[in-house]
Amino acid sequence: MNSASESKKPDPLRLKVTVRLEQIEDEKLPNFQVYVFDQTGQFVTCAPWEGDSVKLKLPEELRGTTARILFGPPLSEKEEEVPAWMRDMLPKEAGPRKTPLPSTLVRRGAYEKRIRLRTAEEHLDIAVLPPDWKKWLMCPCVVRGRLVKRLTLPDGTTKELGVCGACVCIYEVDSFPYVILQLAEHELYRLRNDLRFVLDKLEHEHPPRVWPPEPWPDGPHPQPGPPPPYEHAAASFEAKIEDMLPRHQLRTDLEPVFNAISAPHLRQALMSVASKLLYVLCLPQLKWLSHYYHKDWITCTPTDEQGRFQTTIWYHCFGDKPDLYFKAWQCINGALHVVYNPGVACHTHWNYECGTEVVLEVTDPAARTCVPTQPVNPPPGVTRWVMPFAVGGTQLYRIKSNGKTDYNRGPASNPVSIVDAPFGSPSGTRLGFRHGHSSDIPLTGAHKPAYYRWRYRKAGTSNWHDLSEPVVRHYVEERPGVPPVFPAYKLGPTVVKGIPLYEFKPHDPPAPSDSNATTRWPIDEWFADIFSGFLRSFDLPGGVAAAAGKYEIKLEVYDEDVNRIPPGPGTFEFIVPTGYASDGETVEARNATAAEIDNNGFVFHLHIDNRACKASIAEPAIGSETAGTCGLLRYDAGDVVTISFKAQQPDDHAVFWFKIKRGYGWLANTGSGWQEVGATTASPYAGDGSGNFTNDFAVTALLGKNCDEGAFAESLSVWAKATNGWHAISAYDAYDLRAFALAPNKEE
């Protein structure tokens, strides 16, 4: 045999497929494809249907085998406007497959035929009826939403921060009826038993289980950490079932399921109520079903600077509404990081209503957020201004002349009002100062703002101290084909003519390091790039105890020649925030008063106290007899029990909560509610003004009418008022517990 014969490739097989769509009247014709798989399910080829028939070339190796021919809608491989570097880095699951899977096509309504490839040319002629070909009709569906992190501000309001520059991937989840079809017979019965258990539990549990637990009467107490995400979502879901579907109605709907006498009847009954079962799929008892939830990738779309995303997907016009699941990635420190992936069972958007907005809440602390610069409404006539704005998240108008602030602590459903709270920052952390300025700053030239300076001194002293912690602003440097990097530009402090100064953020970031790169400023990030100065208040001179007290904080402005600029109409104005306009975003401001200006700098007061609380419960006593190490008090008729405790903070910057529990129930007559530690009366306890509290209780008042002996638990919580401007500093809190028992004296 010559070499030409040896190198000749075998002729391919040819397959002609003729498709007739039956009973077509005025309906829209579907757009579909013909897919060919070998008998093991491996993809061979595909072609779009453009008329009566499709001609396909198949490998000669398939001669004598059976081919699977599937007819169905095309699998979209639309590429969204995801940055090229991100598209290249996305995991394989988050992108279109190079070859489709038969199982995916079947789930999307594909119609299947098989043919034996006996000869070099085969012909398959099929007729497809409306119940099958209508599954291939696809309709557009706009999917829109927001990827956000939520932050509770000191005033109790919630701020939604957009997770920007993320890639949100959208998946289609198998409908629950399809899941029911996949269950084996024994799993059908397991599902029925679990549904009966869930319904009984919901009907007889009072109140429904909720996580996190409600605060102890009149206040919280140290609790264990939160459960895993699945149980957390399940608990919230359980608490809402009554609102979504009355339980008596659910039991009525499930009667056919409970009364089914065979597996086929049971499967049919479950299918008939599948839409109602969506309300209970998130409960822990049904967690095992998660194994059957299959999701297919549809597309990915980026989030904008507000965390918003929008795209168009396609779904079956004559089928169920799409069941969508979302997963999000973000590039953090040069690597992709999953920031949202809460689990299909509890977070699938069943029967998604096209065009409605979904809100995806990110709890991952690593997720980066973007916050646009807040608009400011300056006083009339003021065009160039510098505005001392906040300490952390506490705006200046919420800081009193004594340097303290008020805020709410605890759950939103039962907040504790904290009054006259000092500021602080535990060891290793910092208080962050914030200021804003008009968009024309920085400027060059004499008496034009170019630098700023933060200073502090303790009230009553004469020496000012400079803030010296570095302040940076990150910018974006991008090169084609690689992930962006986020270099930091240092604003200061830089010693200029012997004075440590910070630059106002330049109008443009540093130039790129090479001609292929570009640089730009991103929108400020909420937690890092909003601060213009930092103070390590725990490390103030003299130590924590001596440093506690009222401080003056000063902001000064300098020109490029390091001359301090006096505020005024010809230079710039200091303005002060007074609150928000009706839109909730625009900051309203006033002119600084003469009393707020000292030597051309703006001054406000801040009370700092980093001292921790103390909590101590004394041994209960009857007369001179105490409960001792065994915790047992024996009593005679008419005896009283002395209950005493200490709730202290050196400057009374704390509140406390005390109560006694007998067995499982709280004794209402022993609870103080939240009180100031410096109070002289915290009913029913008397205080001495120094945090020492006591009261005498009749034994009968503690034991009640039905007990002649009992076991008790005393609980004391002392909450520090100190805040870092964002939230309370719980590291300074203190707690104590004590147990004792009462029993009658032994008879002689």
Side-chain angles (χ1 to χ4, degrees), residues 415-601:
V416 178
S417 180
I418 305 297
V419 178
D420 279 343
F423 289 79
S425 54
S427 179
T429 66
R430 306 174 296 182
L431 283 173
F433 296 100
R434 301 164 60 186
H435 80 260
H437 53 80
S438 54
S439 58
D440 59 343
I441 296 175
L443 294 165
T444 58
H447 305 297
K448 301 292 180 64
Y451 300 101
Y452 67 90
R453 181 186 191 185
W454 281 107
R455 313 183 79 187
Y456 71 92
R457 70 180 177 186
K458 195 170 184 180
T461 64
S462 57
N463 293 329
W464 288 96
H465 305 274
D466 289 293
L467 299 192
S468 58
E469 291 287 308
V471 174
V472 301
R473 291 291 183 265
H474 290 84
Y475 61 97
V476 183
E477 184 169 328
E478 296 174 306
R479 291 178 178 80
V482 298
V485 293
F486 304 91
Y489 179 80
K490 185 178 178 181
L491 299 182
T494 301
V495 177
V496 184
K497 296 184 178 180
I499 300 176
L501 299 176
Y502 296 87
E503 293 181 51
F504 285 101
K505 178 182 172 181
H507 296 295
D508 298 308
S513 55
D514 62 66
S515 60
N516 292 324
T518 59
T519 59
R520 59 181 173 85
W521 290 117
I523 290 181
D524 282 348
E525 200 275 326
W526 184 260
F527 292 103
D529 282 359
I530 60 171
F531 297 110
S532 58
F534 298 98
L535 175 64
R536 293 187 180 271
S537 69
F538 193 86
D539 301 323
L540 286 170
V544 170
K550 186 176 179 181
Y551 284 77
E552 293 177 284
I553 309 296
K554 180 187 281 191
L555 178 62
E556 299 173 341
V557 177
Y558 291 76
D559 65 15
E560 63 181 351
D561 293 324
V562 196
N563 299 306
R564 187 185 305 131
I565 305 175
T571 55
F572 77 97
E573 301 279 1
F574 278 119
I575 64 174
V576 185
T578 59
Y580 288 95
S582 58
D583 62 5
E585 293 292 332
T586 302
V587 178
E588 299 282 5
R590 62 170 174 83
N591 289 104
T593 65
E596 293 171 317
I597 305 299
D598 174 61
N599 196 19
N600 295 329

Side-chain angles (χ1 to χ4, degrees), residues 287-517:
K287 185 177 180 180
W288 61 273
L289 283 171
S290 299
H291 173 73
Y292 291 95
Y293 299 137
H294 182 276
K295 62 182 189 294
D296 285 319
W297 179 88
I298 301 176
T299 189
C300 288
T301 185
T303 61
D304 64 13
E305 292 170 335
Q306 294 178 310
R308 298 184 182 276
F309 60 90
Q310 180 171 308
T311 189
T312 299
I313 65 171
W314 295 82
Y315 74 104
H316 302 296
C317 299
F318 292 93
D320 294 330
K321 292 181 179 179
D323 301 316
L324 302 181
Y325 179 73
F326 300 86
K327 185 175 180 179
W329 284 267
Q330 194 176 40
C331 187
I332 300 174
N333 298 327
L336 275 184
H337 181 80
V338 176
V339 295
Y340 182 83
N341 185 27
V344 174
C346 294
H347 297 275
T348 293
H349 294 258
W350 303 101
N351 298 321
Y352 172 72
E353 189 71 36
C354 296
T356 58
E357 184 178 73
V358 298
V359 179
L360 312 178
E361 183 177 354
V362 174
T363 57
D364 190 326
R368 295 181 181 273
T369 57
C370 286
V371 178
T373 302
Q374 288 182 296
V376 176
N377 185 19
V382 176
T383 57
R384 182 176 298 154
W385 48 267
V386 174
M387 180 175 66
F389 181 60
V391 179
T394 304
Q395 292 84 2
L396 254 62
Y397 67 87
R398 297 184 54 245
I399 300 176
K400 304 176 184 180
S401 59
N402 62 6
K404 303 177 184 179
T405 188
D406 301 339
Y407 66 95
N408 289 332
R409 183 174 177 182
S413 59
N414 187 25
V416 178
S417 180
I418 305 297
V419 178
D420 279 343
F423 289 79
S425 54
S427 179
T429 66
R430 306 174 296 182
L431 283 173
F433 296 100
R434 301 164 60 186
H435 80 260
H437 53 80
S438 54
S439 58
D440 59 343
I441 296 175
L443 294 165
T444 58
H447 305 297
K448 301 292 180 64
Y451 300 101
Y452 67 90
R453 181 186 191 185
W454 281 107
R455 313 183 79 187
Y456 71 92
R457 70 180 177 186
K458 195 170 184 180
T461 64
S462 57
N463 293 329
W464 288 96
H465 305 274
D466 289 293
L467 299 192
S468 58
E469 291 287 308
V471 174
V472 301
R473 291 291 183 265
H474 290 84
Y475 61 97
V476 183
E477 184 169 328
E478 296 174 306
R479 291 178 178 80
V482 298
V485 293
F486 304 91
Y489 179 80
K490 185 178 178 181
L491 299 182
T494 301
V495 177
V496 184
K497 296 184 178 180
I499 300 176
L501 299 176
Y502 296 87
E503 293 181 51
F504 285 101
K505 178 182 172 181
H507 296 295
D508 298 308
S513 55
D514 62 66
S515 60
N516 292 324

Side-chain angles (χ1 to χ4, degrees), residues 201 205-215 227 231-240 247 413:
K201 179 175 181 288
E205 199 172 74
H206 301 289
R209 182 174 65 89
V210 178
W211 188 274
E214 288 298 319
E231 283 73 11
H232 177 81
S236 300
F237 208 88
E238 180 177 311
K240 296 177 182 177
R247 294 172 191 170
S413 59

Side-chain angles (χ1 to χ4, degrees), residues 706-718:
N706 301 319
C707 302
D708 59 1
E709 58 185 16
F712 302 84
E714 299 172 272
S715 176
L716 173 62
S717 299
V718 184

Side-chain angles (χ1 to χ4, degrees), residues 221 617-620 643-645 658-661 712-716 736-740:
H221 194 77
I617 301 174
E619 290 185 43
I643 301 294
S644 302
F645 58 89
F658 180 83
K659 208 155 199 177
I660 300 175
K661 176 179 280 191
F712 302 84
E714 299 172 272
S715 176
L716 173 62
D736 198 17
L737 291 169
R738 182 179 287 275
F740 70 96

Side-chain angles (χ1 to χ4, degrees), residues 249-267:
Q249 180 62 46
L250 183 56
R251 179 170 288 281
T252 300
D253 292 335
L254 291 180
E255 284 302 320
V257 173
F258 298 147
N259 295 332
I261 59 176
S262 67
H265 290 156
L266 177 55
R267 194 184 304 272

